[in-house]
Amino acid sequence: MTKEKNGTTTTTTIPMPNPKPRLSAMTVNYNQEVSSVNSFTFVKLLMTWRGSIWKSVKCELTMWILAFAAVQSVYRYLMTEDQQKFFEYAAVHLNVRLVHIPLTFMLGFFVTIVVDRWRSVFTNIGFIENVALSVGTLVSGTDHAAKVLRRTIIRYLVLSQVLVLRDISMRVRRRFPTMESLVTGGFLYRDELEKMYKCETMYNKYWLPTHWANQLVHKAMFETKNVDSVQSMNSVLMNIKEFRQSMEMLTKYDWVPIPIAYPQVVFLAVRVYFIICLISRQYLLSAPPTEAQSVVPVMTILQFIFFVGWMKIVDTCHDSCPPLKLEEPDDEKGTMYWCHPTKNGSQAPPTAVAISQHKNPFSKVLNMVHPSQTESSPPSYRLEVPK
């Protein structure tokens, strides 16, 4: 931070804050627990509660065990002898016919589809670093126009990403509910917003800022000469293309979900299977000792844990993608990446005063010195607050 007082200038280096750990709702990092493998590592992992299969199925399993005990009590103590015989006939009949529900095949097929879809979404979430490093290296120039050019190219690509994430993430939609909020956040200027409104299309206009970025790279090659060769221009354009393809993939997944018949069949099959087990897996009073079933259906409980836990993966992964994390203010980050914390702990959009007190959000990457320029001293993280 640079301040002027009585003709003297003082510079204060702002330390970089430690990043806060990000906790995923779907997975829990357990690498520390398996860093040293021994005989009890498996037991340690099996007894882990947070993010485990036990935590995911505890409510459903408790309800099923209580329902099983209730059916058993009615069968043993409230039914007449004739009713018990009919119940036993129904239990044997249903137990034999359970094999007609191919639960393993259906769950395996559906879970594979959903997990592959989630993995593809995660890998295509898009990181701007590759394009930013390419632009910062290949788009040369140390004057103000060159800096604005580099910043604008990256700003357009980040704008494209935000337009896509607004459609697939509720957290991003709440952070930027309208196109006007993008102007306030610094992603978009007023004249650019008017151009987007003039582009008439019924679909998401996420590709339009990418088109603007491509045009700027083309002008940097043939007009302003900030790109020194066709190979350099093609390299930047290729990075932009890959970034846009990632956004396109996210948009496709949002447009075309998994056919509704798939989750309906799987969820219905799992629930019907274990509802039938409430009768078919009961201990029958008239069964021979060698065929008598256990009063506590241990194997059925294990089946419940495995199948329902498998299905919980589908519940967690379906149509989800990692949200945009809105972190606390950082002097090295722009206003579009953070919100002010309110009294109740929630996040509020940055105020106009906060916006005016922060540098351009892309200055960290794109203010880098081009390789053609020599540095007199190593760079440091500093923030210049306007008077």
Side-chain angles (χ1 to χ4, degrees):
M1 181 179 295
T2 303
K3 297 181 180 180
E4 294 186 3
K5 185 177 181 180
N6 299 328
T8 61
T9 301
T10 59
T11 301
T12 303
T13 302
I14 301 177
M16 298 296 292
N18 295 326
K20 295 184 177 180
R22 300 183 179 181
L23 304 180
S24 174
M26 177 185 170
T27 58
V28 175
N29 194 327
Y30 55 90
N31 294 335
Q32 297 284 347
E33 301 182 16
V34 297
S35 58
S36 300
V37 180
N38 53 48
S39 303
F40 299 97
T41 300
F42 172 74
V43 178
K44 185 177 181 181
L45 290 180
L46 194 61
M47 294 296 104
T48 300
W49 175 256
R50 183 170 172 268
S52 66
I53 186 175
W54 319 112
K55 185 176 181 180
S56 63
V57 304
K58 66 180 187 301
C59 296
E60 292 85 351
L61 180 59
T62 302
M63 293 174 59
W64 187 87
I65 292 177
L66 293 176
F68 186 90
V71 173
Q72 188 178 88
S73 300
V74 171
Y75 162 63
R76 287 193 170 199
Y77 305 112
L78 299 181
M79 287 185 178
T80 63
E81 185 176 350
D82 292 339
Q83 290 174 338
Q84 286 179 342
K85 290 181 180 180
F86 178 80
F87 181 89
E88 292 170 359
Y89 170 79
V92 173
H93 177 79
L94 292 175
N95 192 45
V96 173
R97 299 298 188 274
L98 270 179
V99 296
H100 295 167
I101 302 179
L103 204 57
T104 304
F105 169 76
M106 289 190 296
L107 269 174
F109 176 74
F110 186 56
V111 170
T112 301
I113 293 177
V114 175
V115 173
D116 288 344
R117 183 184 178 94
W118 179 87
R119 184 185 299 112
S120 180
V121 169
F122 183 79
T123 55
N124 287 282
I125 199 66
F127 288 90
I128 196 61
E129 283 81 359
N130 285 343
V131 188
L133 293 173
S134 177
V135 170
T137 302
L138 300 178
V139 180
S140 61
T142 59
D143 57 343
H144 179 71
K147 293 181 180 180
V148 171
L149 174 63
R150 290 192 290 267
R151 297 177 188 179
T152 305
I153 293 174
I154 300 303
R155 178 171 61 84
Y156 284 158
L157 297 179
V158 177
L159 171 62
S160 174
Q161 186 177 37
V162 172
L163 293 176
V164 173
L165 294 180
R166 286 178 74 247
D167 285 350
I168 63 179
S169 172
M170 290 304 300
R171 292 190 63 181
V172 181
R173 172 66 73 170
R174 287 193 294 266
R175 173 62 179 86
F176 302 105
T178 62
M179 297 297 292
E180 292 291 336
S181 62
L182 295 177
V183 177
T184 304
F187 288 96
L188 197 61
Y189 290 129
R190 183 68 56 184
D191 58 332
E192 296 168 346
L193 178 60
E194 294 176 357
K195 289 183 179 180
M196 295 193 70
Y197 283 146
K198 292 179 181 179
C199 179
E200 298 180 359
T201 177
M202 59 183 298
Y203 301 107
N204 191 341
K205 302 176 184 177
Y206 78 94
W207 51 269
L208 187 56
T210 307
H211 172 64
W212 296 343
N214 285 332
Q215 287 184 324
L216 289 180
V217 175
H218 185 270
K219 291 182 179 179
M221 172 66 194
F222 296 101
E223 295 183 12
T224 61
K225 306 299 181 181
N226 292 104
V227 179
D228 56 5
S229 67
V230 176
Q231 290 80 4
S232 298
M233 181 187 70
N234 290 337
S235 178
V236 176
L237 292 178
M238 185 59 64
N239 280 277
I240 295 176
K241 176 185 175 182
E242 293 175 355
F243 187 82
R244 192 209 64 81
Q245 287 177 335
S246 296
M247 298 301 101
E248 177 188 356
M249 185 63 68
L250 296 180
T251 303
K252 288 178 179 178
Y253 281 133
D254 181 61
W255 284 349
V256 184
I258 296 177
I260 188 63
Y262 285 13
Q264 284 179 341
V265 169
V266 172
F267 296 161
L268 182 63
V270 172
R271 285 159 175 80
V272 169
Y273 183 91
F274 287 104
I275 289 175
I276 295 176
C277 286
L278 294 175
I279 299 175
S280 64
R281 302 295 172 83
Q282 290 290 340
Y283 174 81
L284 303 180
L285 299 175
S286 62
T290 56
E291 299 179 4
Q293 296 171 326
S294 174
V295 177
V296 179
V298 178
M299 299 306 298
T300 307
I301 291 176
L302 291 177
Q303 275 188 314
F304 190 96
I305 294 173
F306 299 153
F307 287 144
V308 176
W310 204 1
M311 189 180 64
K312 283 291 183 176
I313 298 177
V314 177
D315 289 338
T316 306
C317 296
H318 181 59
D319 284 343
S320 67
C321 71
L324 177 65
K325 179 66 175 178
L326 301 177
E327 299 177 347
E328 294 182 359
D330 184 327
D331 288 327
E332 288 297 320
K333 298 175 184 173
T335 57
M336 64 182 63
Y337 288 109
W338 54 268
C339 299
H340 283 298
T342 58
K343 294 181 179 180
N344 59 2
S346 60
Q347 300 289 337
T351 61
V353 176
I355 294 176
S356 64
Q357 292 179 352
H358 283 74
K359 294 173 64 177
N360 187 292
F362 303 107
S363 59
K364 181 178 179 180
V365 175
L366 300 179
N367 272 347
M368 62 177 64
V369 179
H370 192 266
S372 60
Q373 179 186 4
T374 58
E375 291 184 298
S376 58
S377 61
S380 61
Y381 297 103
R382 297 174 180 177
L383 174 66
E384 296 181 359
V385 180
K387 299 180 182 179

